[in-house]
Amino acid sequence: MNHEDPVLLHTEGRVRHITLNRPRALNALNHAMVARVAEALADAELDDSVTAVLITGAGERGLCAGGDIRSIYEDARAGGSMSTDFWRDEYRLNAGIARFPKPYVAIMDGIVMGGGVGVSAHGDIRVVTECSRIAMPETGIGFVPDVGGTYLLAAAPGELGTHMALTADAVGAGDALLCGLADHFVPSQRLTELTAALAGCDTAAGIEETVRRYAAPAPDGELAAHREWIDSCYRADSVEDIVDRLDSTGVPAAKQAAATILSKSPTALKVTLSALRRARGLGSLEAVLDQEYRTSCAAFTGPDLVEGVRAQIIDKDRNPQWRPATLAEVTEADVARFFAPLGDRELGLAAVPGTTT
C-alpha cells in the first residue's frame, strides 16, 4: 500500500477499508479517487472473504469536504468537459453505494460536505460523532445540490431538507440523525475500538449489531426546536415567498435564515427548490441522479458557478456578483434550462435497473 495514494485500501478481518487520503485538501474528491473507490467496491462485492466495506477519511478534519472545486473552476473557465465526465462517474458511484449488497459502513466524522455526503449518506450504516458537520453547501457557490443530495434532502421530515439546501447550513450529529442523513451516533473516542470490533464480524448482522453496541444517544440538535417555523415557511411555492415568510415570523433564527438565503446565488436557489420538489415525485435515487446531472451540466455553463468559487475559494473576498443579481430577475425560463433533456449526453441511470458500480 502506497501511503501517498489518494485512496488507501486494506483489509482488517473480513472488512475492506477504503480511506480517502488527501487530508491537506480535506479529502476532496477527484476523478481518479472516484474511479478507485468504484473499483474497490466492485472487487469487494465479488470477494467472498469480505463481509463489509468501511469508508473513512484520512487526517483529523473530516471524511470529505466535497469535490475538487478548484479543478471544476479551472475546467469551467477553460470551457472544458472534465467536470461533466467526473460527475458522470461520481453519480454512478453514488448509485452503486446505495445498491451495494454488503454492509457499507461510513464514518462521517468531522466535515462531510457535498461529495462527502455522496460517498457516505447513501450507505446503509452511517455513523456520526460529536465532531460531525454535514452540509450540502452548493447554493453558496452558484451550484445545485448533487450526488443524490436532493434525493436525501427531499426525504427529510417536513421541510428540514429544504432549509438545509437553501441556507447551505451545516448540521451536527443530532440534526443529521433527525434529517435521515445518518443512523448511529458513536463518540469519536470510540471509533478506534469500533473499527477493531468490526474486523471480528463474520456476518452482515454482526456488523450492524457491533455498531449498535458502540452507539450512544446523540447530543441534542438544533432543528427540532424550530420545526414549526421551518415547516410553515419552507412550504411556500417560491423562494421569494419562503424568504418573505421567514422575515415575517418574528423569530430571530428565521430572520437569520432569510438573510443567509439572500446571500446565495438567486439562480441556484430557484433551481434547488425546483429540484427538491421534483425529486419527491421521481421515486428512485437513479432518477434523481439523472436530474442532478442535468442541473450540474447546466450550472457548469452558467456564470454563477465560476463566480461563486472565485469569491469563496479563489479570491476569498466573499463578495460574489451573481448574474442575475436578484431572485426577481430569475425567470421561469432560466430555471427550466437546468432541467432540459441532454439527449445523448443523459446520465441514464434510471434506465438501468439495479445500477451498481
Side-chain angles (χ1 to χ4, degrees), residues 33 53 58 69 142 144 155 219 225 299 312 328:
M33 293 169 72
V53 165
I69 296 299
V144 180
Q312 300 296 334

Side-chain angles (χ1 to χ4, degrees), residues 68-84 87 141-143 296-310:
D68 190 335
I69 296 299
R70 284 181 177 269
S71 295
I72 293 170
Y73 167 83
E74 292 165 1
D75 189 31
R77 290 189 69 196
S81 62
M82 290 186 297
S83 298
T84 56
W87 289 324
I141 57 167
F143 198 48
S296 295
C297 288
F300 185 69
T301 60
D304 279 3
L305 176 57
V306 167
E307 175 60 10
V309 177
R310 179 206 64 76

Side-chain angles (χ1 to χ4, degrees), residues 40 42 44 49 60 64 71 86 99 104 111 120 131 145-146 184 188 208 221 225 230 271 286 310 329 333 339 355-356:
S49 70
E60 300 179 351
C64 174
S71 295
F86 163 63
R99 306 296 178 235
Y104 182 97
I111 293 174
S120 58
C131 302
D146 65 337
H184 304 283
S188 59
E208 177 69 35
I230 286 175
V271 174
E286 286 84 0
R310 179 206 64 76
E329 294 175 90
F339 299 93
T355 299
T356 68

Side-chain angles (χ1 to χ4, degrees), residues 269-303:
L269 289 168
K270 287 198 170 185
V271 174
T272 295
L273 182 62
S274 182
L276 287 168
R277 299 292 192 258
R278 291 169 183 241
R280 288 174 177 170
L282 287 175
S284 71
L285 171 61
E286 286 84 0
V288 175
L289 286 164
D290 285 346
Q291 174 176 273
E292 290 179 349
Y293 189 68
R294 297 182 198 114
T295 60
S296 295
C297 288
F300 185 69
T301 60

Side-chain angles (χ1 to χ4, degrees), residues 198-333:
L198 289 173
C201 296
D202 294 327
T203 65
I207 295 287
E208 177 69 35
E209 180 183 338
T210 298
V211 174
R212 289 184 181 278
R213 192 166 70 247
Y214 281 86
D220 289 337
E222 300 176 6
L223 295 180
H226 299 302
R227 278 293 301 277
E228 185 175 354
W229 64 259
I230 286 175
D231 289 351
S232 174
C233 294
Y234 288 95
R235 197 176 293 124
D237 292 331
S238 70
V239 180
E240 292 95 327
D241 286 346
I242 288 172
V243 170
D244 287 345
R245 290 188 185 188
L246 291 169
D247 265 332
S248 64
T249 60
V251 178
K255 293 181 71 68
Q256 179 57 53
T260 298
I261 290 170
L262 289 175
S263 71
K264 312 305 181 187
S265 158
T267 301
L269 289 168
K270 287 198 170 185
V271 174
T272 295
L273 182 62
S274 182
L276 287 168
R277 299 292 192 258
R278 291 169 183 241
R280 288 174 177 170
L282 287 175
S284 71
L285 171 61
E286 286 84 0
V288 175
L289 286 164
D290 285 346
Q291 174 176 273
E292 290 179 349
Y293 189 68
R294 297 182 198 114
T295 60
S296 295
C297 288
F300 185 69
T301 60
D304 279 3
L305 176 57
V306 167
E307 175 60 10
V309 177
R310 179 206 64 76
Q312 300 296 334
I313 307 296
I314 307 300
D315 297 338
K316 299 183 180 179
D317 59 29
R318 307 293 193 268
N319 185 33
Q321 303 301 304
W322 306 121
R323 291 187 289 157
T326 67
L327 289 167
E329 294 175 90
V330 181
T331 67
E332 291 184 7

Side-chain angles (χ1 to χ4, degrees), residues 79-138:
S81 62
M82 290 186 297
S83 298
T84 56
D85 293 341
F86 163 63
W87 289 324
R88 179 178 293 277
D89 287 340
E90 183 183 25
Y91 301 172
R92 289 184 177 277
L93 173 61
N94 302 143
I97 290 169
R99 306 296 178 235
F100 191 65
K102 299 178 181 181
Y104 182 97
V105 184
I107 304 299
M108 301 171 73
D109 188 36
I111 293 174
V112 185
M113 296 184 178
V117 173
V119 297
S120 58
H122 297 299
D124 46 7
I125 303 176
R126 304 162 302 174
V127 175
V128 286
T129 75
E130 74 281 1
C131 302
S132 296
R133 298 298 295 167
I134 299 168
M136 296 301 295
E138 287 78 9

